[in-house]
Amino acid sequence: MSHGIELRNITKRYGSNARAPLAVKGISFEVPAGTLTTILGPSGCGKTTTLRMIAGLESPTSGTILMGGRDVTTLGPAERNVSMMFQSYALFPHMNVIENVGYGLRMSGLRKPEAAARAREALRGVGLVDFDQRLPSELSGGQQQRVALARALVLEPAVLLFDEPLSNLDARLRREMREEIRNLQQRLQLTVAYVTHDQSEALAVSDQIIVMDHGVIAQQGTPEQLYGHPTSEFVAGFMGEAMVFPALAQPDGRVELGPLTLTPRYDVAPGFVKVAVRPEAWLIGAAIGLPATLRKAAYLGSFYEYAFDTALGPVFVVSSDLTRPLAAGAQTTLSLASHGVSVVPVAL
């Protein structure tokens, strides 16, 4: 692991009642040093509670947390050498930019001129030069986020934690800032744990993704593994809007999905299975395929979104073919590409 972050059988129950439900249920994972791991999942899955336990803001009910090979389970935030960037940025409104960034250094005993010099260098690192005297109220949302990032980085933490850091930004700024965070993480070789509910954000920034569901880890792996080979219906549906259909796996390895037949890239036991199909995996207008009637079409600039009625039920399709748009009521056929299709076991 190269002494990054390690959680061993961590549980968390709020309150003293032993019968109270667990918010986190015995999870174990590692964040190797110098890498970025995203904890991903819907609201209430336990991801933020997990991050707060890594930060030392919450104590686990049981289990062990290690950082740099050291047991920090019972240590407070100040003893862990971590910095955390919150969703709200938490900038001091009465302090200017340079004072906000240097606040942690001043609290640790550094003299004002040295703290200001280090804060100025951190601001340069996130692309904010000549903003020293501005107040947070004079900054855009993206600029405030860069100030919060500089404040976290200036402390030179062993571990940097992000809790939904981009959720308050518009789409363009989200894209810019996730690239900024990823570039900084790779350039400085930071060990980062990052919490979000946004799948595209997780895919864009992560070395490893941990998908949580109701306090447990549903699946963990690289972005490519989770998107291309989900191991459950929940992960398939959560990672990229896949639609899931019942199917039948034959002894010869083929899987029958209505009139369509596919050959999985990995072994599948014979019997009833589910097939997860991502919107971009459908091909429109095949000579032989699934008969479909277009119910609704939406133009989104670089692609069309189509809603079809089929014998399998409603089918959602994303098509980048802008030259031959379909109109509502059109009759066509659908087939499957080799990508974006996964066979997952039926949940018991």
Side-chain angles (χ1 to χ4, degrees), residues 26 30 58 186 262 300 322:
E30 300 174 0
E58 301 276 3
Q186 291 182 317
L262 55 136
L300 278 81
L322 304 180

Side-chain angles (χ1 to χ4, degrees), residues 97-108:
V97 165
I98 203 74
E99 291 168 339
N100 262 287
V101 176
Y103 179 79
L105 297 173
R106 295 283 291 135
M107 289 300 98
S108 65

Side-chain angles (χ1 to χ4, degrees), residues 114-128:
E114 188 176 349
R118 283 180 56 180
R120 202 165 286 113
E121 184 63 28
L123 285 165
R124 187 177 295 111
V126 298
L128 285 182

